Amino acid sequence: MDRCATQCGLDVSLAVVGGKWKPLILYHLQSGPTRFSEIKRRIGGISEKVLIQQLRELVAMEVLVRHDHQQVPPVVHYTLTAFGETLVQALVPLCEWGTYNRARVADMLQRPSQKERDRGHAPARVAASD
Amino acid sequence: MDRCATQCGLDVSLAVVGGKWKPLILYHLQSGPTRFSEIKRRIGGISEKVLIQQLRELVAMEVLVRHDHQQVPPVVHYTLTAFGETLVQALVPLCEWGTYNRARVADMLQRPSQKERDRGHAPARVAASD
DNA sequence: GGTAGAACATACCAAAAGGTAAGTGTGAGT
DNA sequence: ACTCACACTTACCTTTTGGTATGTTCTACC
């Protein structure tokens, strides 16, 4: 955050949405108020601890609101705030960029040896992904 | 990356630009080819090790190109690729969002106790829908 | 000759982030 | 009575990330 004074503002956005699952959470909350267990089910693969953690951070940032119906089998809804929706809007182009370039990026992540090559010399032989 | 199958694409973008200093690096490279030491000077506060690391990752992602003039006091330039520029374009709205909301987010990060408080009683106030 | 500066590499370390596993309290279903 | 589901909490561990410190190879400068 304060590491770069008055620069590009991306540090601010990443401070809000930079968690591992936060983009996904925002994505799934676009459809309206959603229960905790429903979010968990939709995302899949996230542990309860981490989900709660990220939700709380988003709530603390006023990106989401937590609505606790005071019921005895607990019922809690999470909803995007107006502020949160401005964030979601700002995320749309990046989201589209990611969707459009998913294959390309995934492909690049598959060959970590490539980045070792452009050093002026060639190592023995790179895994040729046969 | 592959943790969420075919979703919002933000995971892809964050995989590319998610490092601590990467947004700053991209920001400073918009002005054209820049030397390693110049990037370091402009960013300030980043260690050489981490800067090199992030630069190499961006190069591996083909967001940047590394141009090594084979000179004996080393001279190396880093430049945005066309691909990298599409990424920068996609980042613009998020960047503006961050700039616009810098004060607000910074303010919220200052009170971590707030998020510990809304457990069992009414939250102080919700997003004021500006 | 000693120093500085260029663009790194390397070893080691600390902090943060994420994950696993277990437990909590209650009420509804079997 | 037992189990399950809900929305969490807590303790503990691993992985990832970033940071520090130092070394390297060469040239220019004093």
Side-chain angles (χ1 to χ4, degrees), chain A:
Chain A
M1 265 299 302
D2 39 7
R3 70 183 180 260
C4 67
T6 55
Q7 323 251 12
C8 66
L10 269 176
D11 53 324
V12 178
S13 317
L14 287 179
V16 177
V17 82
K20 179 168 178 184
W21 305 93
K22 290 196 187 129
L24 268 296
I25 293 172
L26 295 187
Y27 180 81
H28 286 294
L29 284 203
Q30 285 182 96
S31 54
T34 314
R35 294 188 64 172
F36 175 83
S37 53
E38 179 61 22
I39 301 174
K40 188 189 165 196
R41 249 188 305 272
R42 285 201 216 156
I43 292 184
I46 188 174
S47 67
E48 293 191 341
K49 181 203 129 188
V50 175
L51 177 54
I52 288 172
Q53 199 174 283
Q54 313 249 307
L55 285 172
R56 290 183 108 59
E57 286 170 17
L58 289 171
V59 168
M61 291 299 205
E62 297 176 11
V63 170
L64 306 182
V65 269
R66 189 184 107 109
H67 183 213
D68 187 344
H69 312 242
Q70 303 282 339
Q71 299 180 9
V72 62
V75 176
V76 178
H77 283 116
Y78 290 90
T79 316
L80 276 172
T81 63
F83 181 61
E85 299 208 19
T86 66
L87 175 57
V88 169
Q89 288 312 304
L91 283 170
V92 168
L94 197 61
C95 183
E96 291 171 349
W97 187 92
T99 302
Y100 185 75
N101 294 289
R102 179 179 296 277
R104 177 172 187 167
V105 172
D107 187 49
M108 288 186 231
L109 288 176
Q110 294 247 294
R111 31 175 189 186
S113 45
Q114 178 62 29
K115 71 181 168 210
E116 311 285 302
R117 297 256 309 274
D118 52 349
R119 299 274 317 288
H121 64 281
R125 175 105 171 92
V126 204
S129 70
D130 38 344

Side-chain angles (χ1 to χ4, degrees), chain B residues 53-129:
Chain B
Q53 199 173 283
Q54 313 249 308
L55 284 172
R56 290 181 110 58
E57 286 170 18
L58 289 171
V59 168
M61 291 300 203
E62 296 175 14
V63 170
L64 307 181
V65 269
R66 189 183 105 110
H67 183 213
D68 186 343
H69 312 244
Q70 303 282 337
Q71 299 181 9
V72 61
V75 175
V76 177
H77 283 115
Y78 290 89
T79 316
L80 277 172
T81 63
F83 180 61
E85 300 209 18
T86 66
L87 175 58
V88 169
Q89 288 311 304
L91 284 169
V92 169
L94 197 60
C95 183
E96 291 171 350
W97 186 92
T99 302
Y100 185 75
N101 295 288
R102 178 179 297 279
R104 177 173 188 167
V105 172
D107 186 49
M108 289 187 230
L109 288 175
Q110 293 248 295
R111 31 177 188 183
S113 43
Q114 179 62 30
K115 71 179 167 208
E116 312 284 302
R117 298 256 306 273
D118 55 334
R119 304 236 355 113
H121 52 81
R125 67 189 168 81
V126 217
S129 70

